[in-house]
Structure formats: structure tokens, C-alpha cells
Amino acid sequence: MAGTNSERQLIAEGPAIILVHPQLGENIGMVARAMANFGLAELRLVNPRDGWPSEKAISAASKADHVIAATKVFSSLEAAVADLNFVYATTARDRYGYKEVRSPVVAAETLRTRFRAGEATGILFGRERTGLTNEEIALADELVTFPVNPAFASLNLAQAVLLMSYEWMKTGMGSLEETAFSALPQRPAQKDELQGLFDHVEEALDARGYFRPAAKKPKLIENLRSALTRPSFTGSEIQVLRGIISCLDRFTRDAPRGTPSPNRTRNRRPKAARDDE
Amino acid sequence: MAGTNSERQLIAEGPAIILVHPQLGENIGMVARAMANFGLAELRLVNPRDGWPSEKAISAASKADHVIAATKVFSSLEAAVADLNFVYATTARDRYGYKEVRSPVVAAETLRTRFRAGEATGILFGRERTGLTNEEIALADELVTFPVNPAFASLNLAQAVLLMSYEWMKTGMGSLEETAFSALPQRPAQKDELQGLFDHVEEALDARGYFRPAAKKPKLIENLRSALTRPSFTGSEIQVLRGIISCLDRFTRDAPRGTPSPNRTRNRRPKAARDDE
């Protein structure tokens, strides 16, 4: 899925990702990579079990070097959130508590709104196996939980960070429909092009006795036109179709291209058909 | 982030995930796990490089056994999509082609609509390093691309599957605000409870000469009431606050609890304060 364009400006802003007692360096690296993909850059670690810096983290970060280099380590969660205005805690379990629980979409919208208002925000992620303790949860303003299959909920740390980072990125776009690139614009066919196609097909078929018995011809033509109208062909698609018909009409099977069929006298292919070769 | 509830019914429906020439078994396993988290269950492989079944895939799938067991292998992409009605191809690069390009949100909505209408659908994912070829792309109806940081676009295969699976799951929920669990409902405080708090605080402060000079008292009370009104306390929060005030009011610093301050005569704490101990 690689598509990095090194000439584009690196996006590096938004909430801090705060990992509380992360265990494996690989996971910290995967988190950095997930963040970089979606424009986040501020990683904070509270007491990483295997210390910091970590060669395994650098390797797993897959060149998200700007995130790794700026990572800060704290000895307590309180210190890690001290300068923040608003903090989410991620949890997979119902805590039976009074803190508001948000979906990732709503949490990301809230974070974007607060970011635009100049607030410093963060998202807490717990230990790989056991998540956040209730005491840690208590330091957050609200909770976020992911919509997972209740009978198979096994998001890992980097995947959870990936989903929050992705939702963050989406809130910075103009709309949910927006994509980084689009289909090339195409001109819908005009009705006279479609009529040209009808004429071409019908003449070729008529020459082969397709419209028999004669009483059935109007219905056969109606079905044919109906089938050819429904797909809303573009102008160039009509040209492709006419090329196909010309080829079928004018050349016999296995005859070298350019060799007219013995039954046909025309041997120059129409301009329209050549356009799409 | 584990939160599996094995008593809940396993969700297993929706589009087929089709991996075209995947290389590493680990990645196939991570894909299965990502799918299971979001209720997808149909995995199809086109010519996996290291063969199938794969011990590495089973290990990386982290108990997504139902996905691994049902995985089907095909010798061509054409065969893998033969029974499907509508297929998306994922791509990170602009193909400069005429196929419509959709965001994951729009693609997931389309897949859900088609699923509800009884159509069989699929999503194509290419090789780990190089993605899908133009010939493979041509077999899809539309394209999906992810909104990534243009200067750092390095989603891996399992992450791309995770994001599409997550968006699929979201389309099956009632709303984007929905969460699997919620904060416990809380009753907002009544105004007489708030008035009780005002009286309590003001009496305790007044006894300490807080409202001096007397001319400033109305403004000081106004500020105090304003600060206490704004947070929209719940009934139980008011009780907690009154417990705090009682404690500060009635006990001297470092005196054992229950030992009345020498300056005070009351030595029974009010009912409201005890309720939240």
C-alpha cells in the first residue's frame, strides 16, 4: 500500500498519543508508523517496560523517524498529561463508571474541534494485555471504545492507535467522500453518438439475418436499444463499442487483420473505430 | 485492548476479503484477525506465495480460527471473483484511469447497501510491496483509497484490511455515535441541592471571615455561585462536594478523623457527606 510522496509536506500535528506502560518496543514502533500514516507526530511513553530508546521500536517504525525522534518518556501518567487540556482514554471494557463513552468518530471530531480552538489534547492507550487501570482512566476526561465484534475483540495496541489516528485524519478532510485522487473526468455520450451506435449494430445484424422473422424486428430492436442505453456510456465507450462491432462485422475469424472477409467489400475501417486502438 | 465475550454470537458476514498474491503467512494471519474483529469472515487468497495452509498464518491470526478454516485458495483472480456481483480494488496510487475512486466510508456504505440487497461483494488487496497490477484493477468495479499523510503513506496489508473491515462494521451500527456500552445514567442535581451546597459553603467560609470587607460580600457570593453552577453537577457530585466541605470545615489538619476541631462544637458529620464514603 506504499504511496509516499516525499515532495509533499509532512503532516505532523494533533493530539498526543500516550502509551501507558507499553511492553514491547516493536509495538511502540508500529504505533509510531500508524501515527505517521495519519499525520500525528507526538508520542509520549509512560514507563516503557523495556526502556527507551529502543532499537526494536526504530526498526518497526518503518521510517517514521520524526515520530521516534520526538518521543518523550515520563515517569508517571500525571506528568505525561500535565500540559494537556483534554484527554481521552481508550478502553475495550465497560467500566460501569460515570465518564462519557464516545465512538472513535465522535472522539475524533471533539479532538479536532479542540485542536482548532488551540487546546492541547491526548489519547491514552493502556498496556498490551491489560489496558488501563481504573486509576489511570480517572485521569481522562472521557472514554473512547471501538465498535468491535463482541465475540472476537482482539485489537492490538498499534491497531487501536491506527484506528484513532485514521479517524483524526478524516476529521481534517473536507468531507467523508473526499479522496486523494479521482477518476479522470469523462464526457457522457451525446444522443447522436448513441444513435450512431444503434445504426451500426442494427445494420451489421440485419446483414446477417438477425431480425427474423420480420414481425419480431420491432421488439428485437427495442430490446437492443434498451440494453445499449442503460449503461450511460461515455463518448469514448461508444467509440470502443463501435470498434468492436466494426471488427466483428468486417473481419472473419482467424483472418489476418486488414484482410477483408471474402463476403464483404468494404475494407477500410471507420474513423471512430480506429480512435481507440 | 482484549474484550472478547465468548457468550456473544460471532458476527460473520459481509464482503469477501481477497488477497492477490500475498507473500507472508504472518500477514495473512493478521488479515484474518483484523477481519474477525469487525465481523468479516470470508477470506480468499489468489496464489499465496508460500502456499496454504500456513502455520505462520494460523499463529498470527490469534484465534481467528473460523476465518482461517474457511479460507479459500484460487489460482486466478478471475476465479476468485467469479461468483461476486460487485468488487472494490484498494489502491494507494492514482491510476489515472476512469474507474470511480471512493473513500473507505463511501465504499463501506455501498458494500452494506449491496449486502442488504442480497448481493455478493468483495474487496481486493494487492501484494505487500507492489499492490495490484492494472490488469487486476480492471476486474474491479470501483476503487477505494485511504486518506493517508501524503508524505508518509505506508499502510501495510493487514492495516489496510483493518480499516476497510472497521468501516464495514460501522455501517452496520445504528449511528456513528453508537458505542457498545455507555456511562451509567446520572441524575442532574435539583436546584434545592445546589442551594444546599451554596448555603453550606457560604456558612463555612463566613465563619472564617472569607467575606470581608462586607461591601465585597455580594460580589464574592455571586462569583462563588457562578463557579459552582457552571459544571451542571449531578446529585451525587453535590454530595461529594458537601462531604469535602464538611471535612475541611469540621476537622483540623492532621487531626484523626472523628476528632472534632477544638474550635468547633458539632462532631457528627452530616448525612449527605457520609453517603459517598
Side-chain angles (χ1 to χ4, degrees), chain A residues 168-207:
Chain A
W168 162 260
M169 181 83 170
K170 278 165 62 185
T171 61
M173 305 185 73
S175 83
L176 294 176
E177 286 76 37
E178 189 176 318
T179 52
F181 48 86
S182 306
L184 293 174
Q186 296 208 83
R187 180 183 60 79
Q190 287 173 208
K191 294 304 174 196
D192 60 355
E193 293 173 289
L194 196 60
Q195 191 58 53
L197 175 64
F198 293 162
D199 293 347
H200 194 161
V201 172
E202 287 162 22
E203 191 279 327
L205 293 175
D206 207 14

Side-chain angles (χ1 to χ4, degrees), chain A residues 107-121:
Chain A
E109 284 166 355
T110 300
L111 290 167
R112 180 67 69 173
T113 302
R114 290 178 176 273
F115 172 75
R116 287 185 176 139
E119 292 188 29
T121 59

Side-chain angles (χ1 to χ4, degrees), chain B residues 74-114:
Chain B
F74 296 84
S75 59
S76 72
L77 178 54
E78 287 82 350
V81 300
D83 61 329
L84 303 181
N85 300 106
F86 191 89
V87 172
Y88 274 109
T90 52
T91 176
R93 293 193 303 276
D94 189 348
R95 302 284 178 157
Y96 304 104
Y98 295 108
K99 284 190 200 284
E100 293 294 346
V101 184
R102 307 299 186 189
S103 70
V105 170
V106 171
E109 284 166 356
T110 301
L111 289 167
R112 181 66 68 174
T113 302
R114 290 178 176 273

